[in-house]
Amino acid sequence: VTFELGGKSANVIFADSDLEKAAASAPGAVFDNAGQDCCARSRILIEKKAFDKFMPLLEQAVKSFKCADPSLETTEMGPLITSAHRDKVASYVEAGIKEGATAVVDGRTVQADGAKDGYWLGPTLFDNVKTNMTIYTDEIFGPVLSVVRVKSYEEALKIVNDHPYGNGTAIFTNDGGA
């Protein structure tokens, strides 16, 4: 049995993990279906000591995520479902910037390859996100990824679970006992 409880799932990434693999897999976990998925892992909790190595890898992976006409075989992400929903998701991007997060990749400026029709908003990556920001607390249901730094496993666990939505969290570590 699977219950639909809303979603604000997370990738929790620790310094001892394969950071290249974690960064490469993160975009697909949130941007598949243009983020319109209740299991989209739209939060990344990264151990602070791994941040400087991980963030450039993640930024490149997000920038490389292929936003294009969904009929093309190379497409990784298509458009949002309606113009109203695109506008709603864009308003979250604007709110994140207004609240002080840094738009490392701003999906409002992404041009979809080969696309003529559709409600386009590309992958968006935020840094300097605080856990009380709208982009962190609300279920956006769009291609918006927020990065939060954590000090420890205990802090990550507390943050992941301090949320009203269901969650399908993935943990990246080489310490199976953590």
Side-chain angles (χ1 to χ4, degrees), residues 114-126:
K116 296 179 184 124
D117 297 318
Y119 309 108
W120 297 96
L121 191 139
T124 298
L125 172 62
F126 277 107

Side-chain angles (χ1 to χ4, degrees), residues 32-52:
D32 283 350
N33 297 318
Q36 299 167 116
D37 180 347
C38 292
C39 295
R41 290 194 301 267
S42 59
R43 301 182 290 162
I44 289 186
L45 302 165
I46 178 74
E47 190 173 14
K48 285 182 182 181
K49 62 185 175 182
F51 177 84
D52 288 341

Side-chain angles (χ1 to χ4, degrees), residues 14-32:
F14 293 102
D16 71 332
S17 67
D18 184 329
L19 297 177
E20 289 83 8
K21 279 187 182 179
S25 71
V30 65
F31 302 137
D32 283 350

Side-chain angles (χ1 to χ4, degrees), residues 72-136:
L72 300 174
E73 198 165 309
T74 57
T75 297
E76 296 176 285
M77 187 181 110
L80 293 167
I81 192 71
T82 66
S83 63
H85 188 59
R86 179 200 52 220
D87 294 347
K88 180 180 178 186
V89 175
S91 76
Y92 276 108
V93 175
E94 292 163 13
I97 294 166
K98 185 177 180 182
E99 291 176 355
T102 304
V104 177
V105 179
D106 187 339
R108 297 173 302 169
T109 65
V110 171
Q111 297 297 316
D113 293 343
K116 296 179 184 124
D117 297 318
Y119 309 108
W120 297 96
L121 191 139
T124 298
L125 172 62
F126 277 107
D127 184 20
N128 299 312
V129 176
K130 306 296 181 224
T131 58
N132 64 344
M133 291 180 172
T134 307
I135 56 171
Y136 185 85

